[in-house]
């Protein structure tokens, strides 16, 4: 079941996470908002709402470099990647650090051809061929580039899911990032930008 979050609920969640931690506070907040507790926690993590006084150890250069490689993935996926590399960072900590490094979080709601290729373990030209054949829906970003370079493709999560489901014979699940694959097929990746542009 999907639980849409209204503007006033966003404001209440932000206000709560700007205060000092309260035992059982998230549960009470969720009950007041009429949302499951997991939904409130997940939304707070994805938005990067940080708790006052809940900071972890300072980030190392190695962690920052790892984040820069995977910043466009969801905080939960990045947190798992960190764990496999020997670092312990929660999804919320990842969101906050990503914002502080100004890694263009909004772009995590869409994919470029190169970004999608990285997720699926294929070459960029493979993704471009899917687009040219009409298998994968993609738009143009409208960047100011030279004519010979061409504009950058913008691929929304819904288009990726549609491609994965309809054209399973064209991609190999063994090459994809398994955490990303679970997120994209379960609808966990954000599509706020897509909704905003289609409004």
């Amino acid at each position: 079941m999907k639980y849409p979050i209204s503007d006033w609920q966003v404001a209440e969640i932000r206000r709560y996470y700007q205060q000092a931690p309260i035992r059982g506070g998230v549960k009470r907040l969720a009950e007041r908002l009429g949302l499951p507790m997991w939904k409130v926690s997940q939304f707070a993590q994805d938005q990067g709402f940080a708790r006052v006084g809940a900071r972890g150890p300072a980030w190392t250069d190695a962690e920052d470099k790892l984040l820069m490689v995977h910043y466009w993935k969801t905080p939960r996926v990045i947190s798992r990647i960190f764990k496999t590399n020997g670092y312990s960072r929660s999804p919320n900590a990842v969101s906050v650090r990503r914002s502080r490094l100004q890694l263009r979080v909004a772009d995590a709601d869409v994919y470029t051809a190169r970004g999608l290729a990285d997720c699926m373990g294929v070459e960029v030209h493979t993704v471009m061929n899917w687009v040219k054949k009409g298998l994968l829906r993609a738009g143009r970003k409208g960047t100011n580039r030279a004519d010979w370079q061409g504009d950058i493709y913008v691929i929304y999560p819904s288009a990726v899911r549609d491609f994965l489901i309809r054209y399973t014979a064209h991609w190999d699940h063994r090459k994809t990032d398994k955490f990303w694959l679970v997120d994209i097929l379960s609808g966990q990746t954000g599509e706020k930008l897509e909704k905003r542009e289609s409004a």
Side-chain angles (χ1 to χ4, degrees):
M1 183 179 295
K2 295 192 181 226
Y3 297 91
I5 298 181
S6 63
D7 290 341
W8 75 268
Q9 289 173 318
V10 172
E12 289 297 309
I13 295 173
R14 181 186 293 109
R15 185 177 299 111
Y16 170 77
Y17 278 89
Q18 287 174 344
Q19 302 171 357
I22 303 172
R23 183 181 295 275
V26 176
K27 181 179 180 180
R28 290 194 293 272
L29 174 65
E31 291 174 348
R32 183 158 56 84
L33 298 180
L35 296 169
M37 190 167 70
W38 66 263
K39 179 65 176 180
V40 173
S41 298
Q42 177 182 302
F43 181 80
Q45 291 174 357
D46 292 343
Q47 295 300 310
F49 296 154
R51 290 182 179 279
V52 175
R55 302 180 183 220
W59 282 64
T60 64
D61 289 341
E63 287 177 300
D64 282 343
K65 289 179 181 178
L66 185 61
L67 178 59
M68 289 177 187
V69 173
H70 300 282
Y71 78 93
W72 43 269
K73 299 178 182 179
T74 65
R76 290 184 303 283
V77 168
I78 298 173
S79 179
R80 293 181 196 131
I81 292 172
F82 268 56
K83 186 174 182 180
T84 61
N85 283 272
Y87 304 110
S88 179
R89 296 291 179 180
S90 68
N92 188 63
V94 167
S95 294
V96 173
R97 186 62 176 175
R98 188 169 62 177
S99 296
R100 287 176 181 165
L101 293 179
Q102 298 182 341
L103 292 175
R104 303 186 66 179
V105 181
D107 286 350
D109 288 340
V110 297
Y111 298 95
T112 62
R114 182 172 298 280
L116 183 58
D118 289 340
C119 289
M120 299 190 66
V122 298
E123 298 295 330
V124 177
H125 67 79
T126 300
V127 175
M128 302 287 280
N129 285 337
W130 291 337
V131 173
K132 291 175 181 177
K133 290 179 180 179
L135 306 179
L136 175 63
R137 290 181 286 111
R140 293 290 190 173
K141 194 169 186 178
T143 50
N144 186 19
R145 308 176 85 200
D147 292 338
W148 62 270
Q149 290 176 304
D151 199 0
I152 297 174
Y153 278 119
V154 171
I155 308 169
Y156 290 110
S158 59
V160 177
R161 276 194 295 275
D162 183 62
F163 168 77
L164 292 174
I165 294 171
R166 294 180 62 186
Y167 302 104
T168 54
H170 290 266
W171 58 279
D172 188 347
H173 72 277
R174 294 169 298 182
K175 295 181 179 179
T176 62
D177 181 309
K178 64 181 179 180
F179 297 122
W180 169 83
L181 184 61
V182 170
D183 272 0
I184 193 71
L185 289 178
S186 63
Q188 294 299 315
T189 54
E191 295 181 26
K192 294 174 288 184
L193 183 60
E194 180 176 8
K195 292 177 182 177
R196 184 165 65 247
E197 291 190 349
S198 63

